[in-house]
């Protein structure tokens, strides 16, 4: 008896089904056949999957990568993930290339499921924690004369959609001695596709806060603070269009008087800003429409549960806005605005000498760290 052949679905229908499946399932499917491996390894499928995930949060798993620092041990160079499953918090450690990471490892940003980190031997690394694939490339070193104010080094990691290229930005900031509150910023960009660093036009600004630029909507974002000799202070967001290599500025939301410190973040493609006050509270804002300053919307005011002053940094905002994941000093905490409660997410290491943690939220994807 001749068996009937199984019907074959058109490939576009297969793709529409696959992009809706959990990443763990897709990883298993790579072992089904060579044709499935080829489809799931294709860069075009990766882009389709990422775009669907960004625009359909109900189908998307966001994960938190953490590199904790422990007293006496330096940085514990593993990447942990924290996810919510069945209303409970699950903490797991990825099988990452720990031999390549060093005690100076530092998270420099995340984009499309890839995390950029520092490594040893003056190298940087792109890592996909979900697939375990990574790519190591040289960091940029330059010679410069250090003045009385020293030099500050800052990074940014993002994706240039026009060039279809992942890029790393490195900024060297020097205080100007001839202009109060101003800094000179020298900027270079690494192209993963070109495997090279190149210098671009720099810019003057106030003191740039934060070691890592926040990437959203194709732009990097840093907070620029002008601290004038006359005693006045003003803050704004300094932006860099990654594709056009042009700088810009975005006004921050209005805030109360008193000493403040801004922290920036990105959640589900939107720019988030948190205004920390000396009174141990913070206002969290989200920009509903990118680049339109009047669309800054205050989500919540958070009062810190700690007695001492700690800065609150935004990590992730739930779709309904009721819950926000924040870095509260050295802790990662889930804040529920409905009952003003805090829930410490997890212990990253089994020791009481835990000092701090670097974190980056990312969506799970099959993106390759190689182009």
């Amino acid at each position: 008896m001749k068996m009937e052949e199984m019907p074959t679905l058109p490939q576009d229908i297969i793709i529409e089904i696959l992009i809706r499946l959990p990443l763990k399932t897709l990883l298993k499917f790579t072992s089904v056949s060579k044709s499935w491996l080829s489809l799931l390894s294709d860069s075009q499928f990766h882009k389709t999957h990422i775009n669907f995930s960004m625009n359909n949060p109900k189908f998307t798993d966001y994960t938190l990568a953490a590199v904790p620092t422990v007293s006496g041990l330096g940085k514990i160079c593993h990447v942990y993930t924290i996810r919510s499953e069945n209303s409970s918090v699950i903490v797991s450690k990825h099988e990452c290339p720990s031999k390549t990471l060093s005690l100076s490892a530092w998270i420099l940003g995340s984009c499309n499921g890839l995390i950029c980190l520092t490594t040893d031997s003056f190298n940087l690394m792109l890592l996909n924690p979900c697939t375990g694939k990574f790519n190591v490339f040289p960091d940029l070193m330059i010679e410069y004369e250090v003045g009385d104010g020293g030099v500050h080094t800052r990074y940014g990691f993002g994706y240039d959609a026009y060039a279809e290229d992942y890029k790393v930005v490195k900024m060297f900031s020097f205080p100007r001695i001839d202009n109060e509150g101003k800094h000179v910023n020298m900027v270079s960009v690494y192209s993963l596709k070109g495997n090279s660093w190149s210098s671009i036009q720099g810019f003057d600004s106030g003191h740039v806060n934060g070691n890592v630029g926040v990437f959203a909507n194709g732009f990097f974002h840093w907070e620029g603070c002008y601290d004038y000799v006359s005693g006045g202070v003003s803050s704004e967001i300094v932006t860099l269009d990654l594709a056009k290599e042009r700088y810009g500025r975005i006004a921050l939301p209005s805030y109360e008087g008193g000493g403040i410190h801004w922290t920036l973040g990105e959640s589900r493609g939107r720019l988030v800003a948190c205004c920390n006050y000396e009174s141990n509270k913070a206002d969290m804002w989200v920009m509903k429409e990118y680049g339109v300053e009047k669309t800054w919307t205050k989500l919540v005011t958070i009062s810190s549960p700690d007695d001492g002053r700690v800065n609150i940094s935004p990590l992730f905002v739930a779709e309904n806005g009721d819950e926000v994941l924040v870095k509260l000093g050295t802790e990662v905490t889930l804040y529920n605005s409905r009952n003003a409660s805090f829930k410490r997410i997890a212990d990253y290491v089994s020791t009481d000498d835990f000092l701090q943690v670097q974190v980056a939220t990312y969506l799970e994807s099959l993106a390759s760290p190689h182009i």
Side-chain angles (χ1 to χ4, degrees):
M1 181 177 178
K2 185 177 180 182
M3 295 184 64
E4 295 184 2
E5 293 185 2
M6 292 289 290
T8 302
L9 292 173
Q11 182 160 304
D12 57 342
I13 300 299
I14 293 176
I15 291 175
E16 286 297 316
I17 295 173
L18 291 177
I19 60 178
R20 289 166 168 79
L21 297 179
L23 195 78
K24 287 183 178 179
T25 303
L26 296 181
L27 290 173
K28 292 178 180 178
F29 283 178
T30 60
S31 302
V32 170
S33 66
K34 290 183 178 179
S35 60
W36 280 69
L37 175 60
S38 177
L39 172 62
L40 296 173
S41 302
D42 183 70
S43 60
Q44 187 58 50
F45 176 81
H46 296 168
K47 286 187 285 187
T48 302
H49 180 243
I50 290 168
N51 289 335
F52 177 83
S53 299
M54 291 291 293
N55 295 317
N56 297 272
K58 292 182 179 180
F59 290 91
T60 305
D61 288 326
Y62 282 88
T63 309
L64 185 75
V67 178
T69 301
V70 181
S71 177
L73 298 177
K75 292 183 174 66
I76 304 300
C77 298
H78 295 289
V79 175
Y80 293 77
T81 59
I82 302 174
R83 71 177 70 247
S84 177
E85 294 182 4
N86 300 323
S87 301
S88 61
V89 175
I90 307 297
V91 181
S92 59
K93 183 174 69 175
H94 277 291
E95 295 180 358
C96 293
S98 57
K99 291 182 180 180
T100 310
L101 296 176
S102 71
L103 292 180
S104 62
W106 199 264
I107 295 178
L108 304 180
S110 66
C111 180
N112 294 346
L114 298 177
I115 299 176
C116 185
L117 309 100
T118 61
T119 70
D120 56 2
S121 303
F122 305 107
N123 287 324
L124 302 179
M125 173 194 290
L126 283 189
L127 169 69
N128 186 324
C130 298
T131 64
K133 295 180 180 179
F134 65 96
N135 183 12
V136 178
F137 52 94
D139 197 355
L140 175 68
M141 300 296 159
I142 65 172
E143 294 184 359
Y144 49 80
E145 294 183 4
V146 179
D148 295 336
V151 60
H152 298 276
T153 304
R154 294 172 177 84
Y155 289 87
F157 168 61
Y159 181 69
D160 182 346
Y162 292 96
E164 297 185 335
D165 190 10
Y166 289 98
K167 294 181 177 180
V168 178
V169 168
K170 189 168 186 178
M171 181 193 308
F172 298 91
S173 298
F174 307 84
R176 287 181 54 171
I177 60 175
D178 60 340
N179 199 336
E180 61 175 30
K182 284 288 188 73
H183 284 67
V184 177
N185 303 289
M186 298 170 53
V187 182
S188 294
V189 177
Y190 175 81
S191 162
L192 186 63
K193 183 180 288 186
N195 189 28
S196 62
W197 287 92
S198 61
S199 297
I200 66 172
Q201 182 179 353
F203 66 102
D204 289 355
S205 70
H207 179 75
V208 178
N209 291 320
N211 293 321
V212 176
V214 172
F215 186 72
N217 293 87
F219 290 75
F220 288 112
H221 305 81
W222 293 271
E223 185 227 340
C225 178
Y226 294 87
D227 191 357
Y228 302 106
V229 174
S230 58
V233 177
S234 64
S235 296
E236 64 183 2
I237 297 176
V238 179
T239 67
L240 170 59
D241 185 327
L242 185 56
K244 298 179 180 179
E245 298 180 351
R246 294 178 183 173
Y247 301 98
R249 286 173 170 78
I250 295 177
L252 284 159
S254 59
Y255 53 87
E256 302 173 10
I260 59 169
H261 176 73
W262 287 93
T263 55
L264 304 178
E266 177 271 339
S267 180
R268 297 183 291 114
R270 287 180 171 175
L271 186 63
V272 184
C274 200
C275 182
N276 292 271
Y277 297 98
E278 285 185 347
S279 57
N280 221 24
K281 72 172 186 177
D283 291 334
M284 186 174 295
W285 301 74
V286 62
M287 181 172 270
K288 293 290 185 70
E289 184 178 346
Y290 183 77
V292 181
E293 295 167 358
K294 65 180 181 180
T295 65
W296 279 116
T297 303
K298 186 161 72 171
L299 290 176
V300 65
T301 296
I302 303 174
S303 295
S304 172
D306 299 328
D307 294 333
R309 181 183 178 184
V310 294
N311 285 323
I312 296 175
S313 301
L315 298 175
F316 185 77
V317 180
E319 188 176 5
N320 58 13
D322 290 339
E323 292 183 314
V324 292
L325 190 67
V326 298
K327 183 179 176 186
L328 182 65
T330 60
E331 301 285 348
V332 176
T333 303
L334 185 65
Y335 178 76
N336 189 320
S337 62
R338 294 187 296 270
N339 54 17
S341 64
F342 292 87
K343 179 182 178 182
R344 185 185 181 195
I345 293 300
D347 292 319
Y348 298 94
V349 290
S350 56
T351 175
D352 293 331
D353 295 326
F354 174 70
L355 297 180
Q356 66 172 347
V357 62
Q358 306 165 51
V359 290
T361 52
Y362 62 96
L363 62 86
E364 296 188 339
S365 79
L366 293 171
S368 172
H370 301 272
I371 293 182

